[in-house]
Amino acid sequence: MAEGIKIIKGNIVFTPSFGQLEVFENSFILIEGKTVKGIYRELPAEYTHMAVTDYQNALIIPGFVDLHFHAPQFANRGLGLDLELLPWLERYTFPEEAKYTNIAYAQAVYKQVVTELWKWGTTRVACFGTIHRAATAKLLELLALAGLGGYVGKVNMDRNSPSSLIETTAQSLADTEDYIKATIDRYELVKPIITPRFVPTCSPELMTGIAKLAQKYNLPVQSHLSENAGEIAWVKELHPECPNYAGVYHRFGLFGQQPTIMAHCIHNDDAEIALMAQSKVYVAHCPYSNNNLASGIAPIRKYLDNGIAVGLGSDVAGGHEVSIARVMTMAVQVSKLKWLATDKSEKFFTIPEVFYLATKGGGSFFGKVGSFEAGYEFDALVIDDSSLEVSACNQYSVEDRLSRFIYIGDYHNIVARYVAGAKIEQPQL
Ligand code: GUN
Ligand code: FE
């Protein structure tokens, strides 16, 4: 038997392009090592002697990608969500993140975080840690132990932050470089990422310094952009020399000079949108968070029409849901409000469209991830939705079953998970 070949059978569903759903009922997916070799309705003769993992009537879909997640805010889910961004950060988020000087606390929460991501079918995540190098390295280690893939950032904050959660510029740069060196070659699927929290908490010297580190170590960048009116006004005050908020990151080398994710992007003007497109910046769309913090509804259709890549983010704990399936439903719901608010000019999303954003849209930030086309890393969820059936009279198509799982299913329906070709079991951390 050929080494490293797996054959899996079920109802295979994925989106090779935005809005285009491919369905292969009762079909075989052939995986060699980490990657998909092909999908077959009938197994070619050369493979018929091999063992097949038959998931029978289950759905097999790409793993979910969370493009924006704050692991140290996990304990704060559901707290302070009757506030706007800046008071929420000050009263709830910063005091919680300050606790991560304590590595025992960090380890206890991060174990739960990793288990929860696994549980809800998130297979790749772009994650913020805190300013603390040791705690953040621990998070990376736990994700790798669980077999999940991701980028994890040690956060940088050297201004406008409470005394319990601030670094000097020099310390921030030194700790970031130490963190990079300790983690960059350590794990195959989990890597460091440069993570300025946002412009208000990063001095020009710090932004310049971490941009140099991103270049030196060839690392991606993640941050927040144009989430809230108060935040945007503050950035304008801090940087009157720059044309706009995106321009601040761009000026200091943190806007597409390396692959970049910007969370939220709700209130960008046309000049910023042009810069986002030109700089190939990814947008992490976080509709739960945007509702909770009264931030607004991001013009995601407009970004896509401008050729900007978009993925979905939970933004835990601005968002209170870890589940990317829930985030998909919220993305559809807020897109309908946007449609109404734009005189029905910005079309709302279809299920295949948000399914794309949740898989290949965000997944492409990680390489060939988020699809079952040949050559893609095999990240998958096996969905047993039999508990969602109503009666034998209701015959649902595969498309309908996917929609119903997304809207009314939960982690109980996810019966197997794969990342980069490997089946990952419940983490034993
Ligand atoms: N902007 C700066 N920090 C944060 C954060 O932790 N969450 C959100 N939603 N926005 C931010
Ligand atoms: Fe965030």
Side-chain angles (χ1 to χ4, degrees):
M1 185 187 280
E3 270 311 308
I5 294 222
K6 276 196 189 80
I7 304 172
I8 289 171
K9 182 163 183 262
N11 296 301
I12 298 160
V13 195
F14 62 102
T15 47
S17 65
F18 183 63
Q20 180 205 347
L21 203 63
E22 289 271 356
V23 178
F24 294 84
E25 287 187 51
N26 289 314
S27 296
F28 301 86
I29 185 157
L30 187 85
I31 301 129
E32 186 173 353
K34 294 194 295 187
T35 57
V36 175
K37 293 286 281 183
I39 297 175
Y40 309 94
R41 294 188 199 271
E42 303 270 344
L43 208 53
E46 56 192 298
Y47 301 115
T48 48
H49 65 287
M50 294 183 60
V52 172
T53 304
D54 188 351
Y55 288 113
Q56 305 197 349
N57 195 35
L59 306 176
I60 301 175
I61 65 174
F64 291 140
V65 178
D66 190 336
L67 215 50
H68 186 69
F69 184 89
H70 294 266
Q73 297 175 21
F74 186 72
N76 271 4
R77 281 169 309 147
L79 291 183
L81 298 178
D82 45 6
L83 296 173
E84 278 194 73
L85 175 68
L86 298 176
W88 171 80
L89 284 173
E90 199 177 307
R91 280 188 231 165
Y92 288 90
T93 308
F94 291 163
E96 179 60 21
E97 289 193 17
K99 295 180 188 169
Y100 284 72
T101 46
N102 178 342
I103 189 79
Y105 181 70
Q107 177 155 349
V109 180
Y110 286 163
K111 281 183 181 178
Q112 288 189 47
V113 166
V114 168
T115 302
E116 201 74 4
L117 288 168
W118 174 87
K119 188 168 107 179
W120 288 100
T122 296
T123 48
R124 310 264 178 166
V125 60
C127 203
F128 279 53
T130 55
I131 62 171
H132 312 98
R133 165 165 78 88
T136 308
K138 178 56 73 178
L139 172 59
L140 200 127
E141 178 193 331
L142 292 167
L143 282 165
L145 273 175
L148 298 173
Y151 288 113
V152 180
K154 181 215 120 32
V155 172
N156 299 101
M157 311 169 68
D158 73 338
R159 66 173 175 181
N160 298 316
S161 305
S163 57
S164 59
L165 192 70
I166 194 165
E167 319 159 285
T168 64
T169 310
Q171 193 68 54
S172 185
L173 290 171
D175 280 0
T176 302
E177 187 153 18
D178 286 348
Y179 169 74
I180 294 166
K181 285 184 181 160
T183 55
I184 192 164
D185 293 321
R186 196 152 187 165
Y187 311 105
E188 199 188 333
L189 294 178
V190 193
K191 299 284 180 187
I193 181 169
I194 297 296
T195 307
R197 175 167 219 119
F198 65 159
V199 166
T201 65
C202 298
S203 68
E205 300 70 39
L206 180 57
M207 288 192 272
T208 305
I210 57 177
K212 283 197 184 127
L213 291 175
Q215 297 284 341
K216 179 173 172 187
Y217 293 96
N218 191 24
L219 293 179
V221 173
Q222 61 180 354
S223 194
H224 298 94
L225 176 63
S226 298
E227 179 177 3
N228 165 284
E231 171 210 17
I232 294 165
W234 194 9
V235 170
K236 215 174 190 46
E237 241 173 68
L238 289 167
H239 292 281
E241 78 283 9
C242 292
N244 48 43
Y245 194 161
V248 181
Y249 288 122
H250 192 254
R251 178 186 182 120
F252 294 110
L254 295 167
F255 207 72
Q257 289 88 347
Q258 292 291 113
T260 300
I261 301 168
M262 287 286 157
H264 308 302
C265 302
I266 302 170
H267 306 287
N268 295 297
D269 63 25
D270 286 346
E272 288 179 296
I273 294 171
L275 186 63
M276 288 157 72
Q278 184 198 320
S279 308
K280 298 194 167 17
V281 164
Y282 274 66
V283 171
H285 176 42
C286 307
Y288 261 102
S289 171
N290 299 160
N291 289 356
N292 281 336
L293 298 173
S295 303
I297 304 175
I300 298 301
R301 173 78 64 186
K302 186 168 175 186
Y303 293 151
L304 293 163
D305 289 346
N306 279 274
I308 296 170
V310 178
L312 298 181
S314 63
D315 194 28
V316 160
H320 56 279
E321 290 283 359
V322 172
S323 164
I324 290 298
R326 294 275 181 284
V327 174
M328 287 166 70
T329 66
M330 189 55 78
V332 174
Q333 290 178 319
V334 301
S335 77
K336 291 187 160 176
L337 297 178
K338 192 74 176 169
W339 174 70
L340 291 171
T342 56
D343 267 338
K344 305 188 179 177
S345 68
E346 247 190 68
K347 270 193 310 175
F348 53 76
F349 290 133
T350 64
I351 302 300
E353 286 174 343
V354 288
F355 187 50
Y356 175 89
L357 298 182
T359 55
K360 191 174 178 180
S364 63
F365 194 79
F366 297 80
K368 286 195 153 189
V369 168
S371 180
F372 292 149
E373 294 153 83
Y376 270 70
E377 293 187 38
F378 183 66
D379 290 8
L381 307 177
V382 179
I383 309 299
D384 176 352
D385 58 343
S386 52
S387 67
L388 307 178
E389 280 167 17
V390 178
S391 85
C393 302
N394 300 94
Q395 291 291 324
Y396 297 108
S397 65
V398 168
E399 289 87 339
D400 289 347
R401 288 171 55 193
L402 176 69
S403 179
R404 296 184 84 246
F405 162 67
I406 291 165
Y407 272 85
I408 62 171
D410 66 25
Y411 61 86
H412 294 103
N413 301 111
I414 308 177
V415 294
R417 298 149 179 86
Y418 291 83
V419 181
K423 187 159 188 272
I424 55 166
E425 304 296 343
Q426 175 152 2
Q428 302 297 317
L429 302 171

